[in-house]
Amino acid sequence: MKTYSFLLIDENGKETGLFTGDTLFIGDVGRPDLAQKVIADLTQEKLAAHLYDSLHNKIIPLADDIIVYPAHGAGSACGKNMSKETTDTLGNQKKTNYALQPMTKEKFIDEVLDGLMPPPGYFPENVLLNIKGYESIDEVLHKGTQALNPEAFEVAANETDALLLDTRDAQTFAKGFIPNSINIGIDGNFAPWVGTLIPDIKQTILLIADEGREEEIVTRLARVGYDNTIGYLKGGFDAWKNAGKETDTIESISVDELAKRMEENPNLNILDVRKKSEHFSEHMIDSENIALDYINEHIAEVSKDKTYYVHCAGGYRSMIFNSILRARGYDNLIDVQGGFTAIKESGKFKVSDYVCPTTML
């Protein structure tokens, strides 16, 4: 498995820029575990050793003033410690990037593999796509940007196994949506969450989107291998509602309202869907934790007989969580607007910086 870097040389023959792809990031290096299940005889240890050789034989010897342009940044699942900065000098990376410090190959392998979280399920399938080839983007766009009126959209939904993907803002979605649709907002970490939560990249998809953003969404889905969007709802959710079709809502409350309800009942079920590490760092006392990342494996731990007040960090992930469970028959989930950020800033709740015993995942 190869990933390429390209060295930019100006008209005077000076080496000025390095486009490092998935090899070197700002503050990190590429993950060596993503292709190991796809290509025979490749382990993450062997791939980490190849990465060490590439860095030490090809990149580290280059001049310090070269500007590094990586393919990914903070928030990407392609690394574990990426900076929010988009460029840096190679010299500064040699000083600050943990993976570029002097060390043996064995030590490098240990450092790079330490703390890696499981990759999103679509990563191995993307590796296969890159090896075997994929559809033309023109064909993907043609198929995915077919405008369907409410009647045609409903027929397509009923006659296929298409997932109804609503990409609107979380709070807009909460106020009204098509039953069984899943909300993953286009203005958040859209592609990584699609890849994490939709395990089959061949899944057919029908879109509900803000008007004018349909092509953008189909394109962003295709960039991570989801090429089977088969159309979108013309006129968006308003057209569906105006046609008299069935709709649903999710209750979403402010932190002030949550505080009021907790005064009346201190034993409310608070469900934190942030990552395990986030919850470990800081959380509401007595809250339970089921990370959105692992919802498919741990959905049985949520009781349909209980009412849960669900929060994440800011409100994006909690609505994804709520929409997925609502589509599976969970009717007693209430979203907390603004998430843990708003909860903490309000000063109305007890917050702990240690792991409480009711942590679930």
Side-chain angles (χ1 to χ4, degrees):
M1 186 65 183
K2 296 180 179 178
T3 178
Y4 293 96
S5 297
F6 295 91
L7 181 62
L8 177 65
I9 301 174
D10 67 16
E11 64 275 14
N12 298 316
K14 179 176 173 54
E15 298 172 348
T16 60
L18 184 64
F19 299 89
T20 53
D22 288 352
T23 300
L24 173 63
F25 304 124
I26 307 304
D28 203 359
V29 290
R31 292 180 60 153
D33 62 329
L34 302 180
Q36 60 175 332
K37 295 181 180 179
V38 178
I39 301 174
D41 300 324
L42 273 184
T43 66
Q44 59 183 12
E45 288 77 15
K46 287 182 179 179
L47 289 165
H50 289 314
L51 178 59
Y52 177 90
D53 291 338
S54 295
L55 291 168
H56 283 261
N57 297 333
K58 301 286 188 178
I59 291 179
I60 291 178
L62 295 173
D64 288 351
D65 61 350
I66 288 175
I67 304 298
V68 175
Y69 300 94
H72 304 286
S76 171
C78 292
K80 62 180 180 180
N81 191 41
M82 295 188 207
S83 169
K84 65 181 179 180
E85 302 301 327
T86 56
T87 65
D88 194 8
T89 63
L90 181 57
N92 193 51
Q93 283 303 294
K94 291 177 187 179
K95 294 177 182 177
T96 61
N97 190 319
Y98 78 97
L100 300 187
Q101 304 311 303
M103 67 182 83
T104 64
K105 184 180 292 189
E106 290 71 24
K107 175 67 172 175
F108 175 86
I109 293 171
D110 289 340
E111 289 284 342
V112 169
L113 297 182
D114 182 52
L116 283 179
M117 297 296 291
Y122 72 101
F123 269 44
E125 296 190 64
N126 272 193
V127 172
L128 283 174
L129 276 177
N130 289 335
I131 294 171
K132 296 180 177 179
Y134 34 82
E135 282 190 75
S136 159
I137 186 61
D138 292 334
E139 178 58 32
V140 171
L141 287 172
H142 175 73
K143 179 176 59 177
T145 54
Q146 294 185 85
L148 305 173
N149 63 35
E151 289 71 27
F153 188 91
E154 186 173 32
V155 169
N158 290 334
E159 293 186 354
T160 70
D161 64 349
L163 181 145
L164 306 185
L165 181 59
D166 192 320
T167 61
R168 296 176 297 155
D169 171 79
Q171 288 303 313
T172 301
F173 174 86
K175 295 173 184 176
F177 56 90
I178 299 173
N180 298 319
S181 59
I182 305 302
N183 175 242
I184 304 179
I186 189 63
D187 290 324
N189 282 330
F190 176 70
W193 283 116
V194 167
T196 299
L197 299 171
I198 305 176
D200 183 6
I201 62 173
K202 296 179 181 178
Q203 171 71 54
T204 52
I205 295 172
L206 285 166
L207 291 178
I208 303 99
D210 291 319
E211 189 173 1
R213 303 195 69 176
E214 299 85 6
E215 182 173 332
E216 173 194 356
I217 295 165
V218 174
T219 300
R220 289 177 64 178
L221 286 169
R223 285 175 180 167
V224 287
Y226 293 82
D227 292 342
N228 291 317
T229 305
I230 59 174
Y232 69 90
L233 178 60
K234 184 178 182 180
F237 176 74
D238 287 342
W240 180 269
K241 184 177 179 180
N242 293 336
K245 304 292 185 182
E246 183 181 359
T247 64
D248 200 357
T249 60
I250 289 176
E251 184 178 3
S252 184
I253 64 171
S254 67
V255 294
D256 290 338
E257 177 62 23
L258 176 62
K260 179 181 177 182
R261 295 187 188 188
M262 289 191 74
E263 286 181 3
E264 298 169 354
N265 178 11
N267 298 316
L268 295 182
N269 299 303
I270 308 298
L271 185 54
D272 182 346
V273 300
R274 295 176 299 161
K275 291 180 183 293
K276 187 176 181 179
S277 59
E278 294 175 273
H279 183 82
F280 277 6
S281 175
E282 210 171 19
H283 54 266
M284 288 182 67
I285 290 179
D286 295 330
S287 62
E288 300 176 8
N289 177 228
I290 297 182
L292 174 61
D293 310 55
Y294 303 105
I295 186 174
N296 292 321
E297 293 85 354
H298 295 273
I299 191 170
E301 296 174 31
V302 183
S303 172
K304 288 185 177 181
D305 298 326
K306 293 182 179 179
T307 297
Y308 294 92
Y309 291 80
V310 183
H311 78 82
C312 59
Y316 181 83
R317 286 174 284 177
S318 61
M319 194 58 68
I320 299 174
F321 186 98
N322 288 334
S323 69
I324 291 173
L325 266 67
R326 176 58 67 89
R328 299 181 186 181
Y330 289 76
D331 297 325
N332 299 317
L333 302 176
I334 299 171
D335 185 72
V336 180
Q337 298 169 19
F340 187 74
T341 300
I343 288 169
K344 184 178 178 181
E345 289 178 351
S346 73
K348 297 181 178 181
F349 306 91
K350 293 180 180 179
V351 173
S352 173
D353 60 0
Y354 62 87
V355 183
C356 64
T358 54
T359 296
M360 298 168 69
L361 179 67

